[in-house]
Amino acid sequence: MEKRIGLGEDLHRYEKGIPLIIAGVKVPYEKGLAGHSDGDIVFHAVSDAILSALGLRDIGYYFPPSEESIKGIDSRKILEFAKSKIDEEGYSIENLALVIHAQEPKLSPYIDAFKESLAQTLKIETKRIGITCKTGEGLGPIGLKEAASCRAIILLEE
């Protein structure tokens, strides 16, 4: 059985007047993450990790920001697209690990909700998902509360 590892990363800036959506979960906060889609850093990073593991192009190739017809797209659709590629190629998800970086809001209370949302979309058990939430320790755009990011690594098995 062949194994594949993929890495994905996403960063979005905060903007007032839009909801904060992380892993498909609406998190109460005064700002949301700006983007051509709903700005979901977790779904974007995981999608890129999946596509990377399969040797495919990143989500910007399949969902270009220049495409007006997908402006505001629910990022769950992007993740569902990436999951369909796993199924087409005959792989399954063995493990998914995430590190979410945000100075604010505090995200650790939402880890179980994030796992449930990911597990539902990817059709895997929550025990196959690990999530760590970190701050920026007051440094850089994350520490200065200007942005949030996510890194994802995934292990696929044929």
Side-chain angles (χ1 to χ4, degrees), residues 44-101:
H44 293 179
V46 173
S47 296
D48 273 339
I50 290 168
L51 297 172
S52 168
L54 296 172
L56 300 173
R57 302 282 301 266
D58 64 66
I59 61 174
Y61 177 80
Y62 298 100
F63 300 90
S66 59
E67 182 59 52
E68 281 302 310
S69 67
I70 59 170
K71 185 160 179 59
I73 187 173
D74 180 341
S75 294
R76 190 175 306 273
K77 291 180 180 172
I78 296 170
L79 185 55
E80 288 169 345
F81 167 82
K83 171 65 165 90
S84 75
K85 295 298 183 187
I86 292 174
D87 298 339
E88 285 174 19
E89 297 291 327
Y91 285 86
S92 62
I93 298 170
E94 291 300 305
N95 181 256
L96 171 62
L98 310 172
V99 178
I100 306 170
H101 284 92

Side-chain angles (χ1 to χ4, degrees), residues 2-132:
E2 184 180 58
K3 293 185 186 285
R4 299 264 189 112
I5 295 173
L7 177 65
E9 185 170 349
D10 197 39
L11 169 83
H12 284 268
R13 65 181 164 75
Y14 283 118
E15 185 176 294
K16 287 189 178 203
I18 57 176
L20 178 58
I21 309 293
I22 297 180
V25 176
K26 189 171 183 178
V27 176
Y29 191 55
E30 64 193 33
K31 301 180 236 176
L33 294 167
H36 188 68
S37 67
D38 61 12
D40 191 326
I41 54 174
V42 169
F43 281 179
H44 293 179
V46 173
S47 296
D48 273 339
I50 290 168
L51 297 172
S52 168
L54 296 172
L56 300 173
R57 302 282 301 266
D58 64 66
I59 61 174
Y61 177 80
Y62 298 100
F63 300 90
S66 59
E67 182 59 52
E68 281 302 310
S69 67
I70 59 170
K71 185 160 179 59
I73 187 173
D74 180 341
S75 294
R76 190 175 306 273
K77 291 180 180 172
I78 296 170
L79 185 55
E80 288 169 345
F81 167 82
K83 171 65 165 90
S84 75
K85 295 298 183 187
I86 292 174
D87 298 339
E88 285 174 19
E89 297 291 327
Y91 285 86
S92 62
I93 298 170
E94 291 300 305
N95 181 256
L96 171 62
L98 310 172
V99 178
I100 306 170
H101 284 92
Q103 190 69 35
E104 287 183 353
K106 185 175 174 103
L107 297 176
S108 58
Y110 301 94
I111 289 176
D112 289 341
F114 296 161
K115 284 180 155 190
E116 281 295 328
S117 179
L118 282 161
Q120 266 188 336
T121 304
L122 296 171
K123 299 178 182 17
I124 60 173
E125 300 166 301
T126 57
K127 69 180 183 179
R128 295 185 182 272
I129 303 168
I131 300 177
T132 304

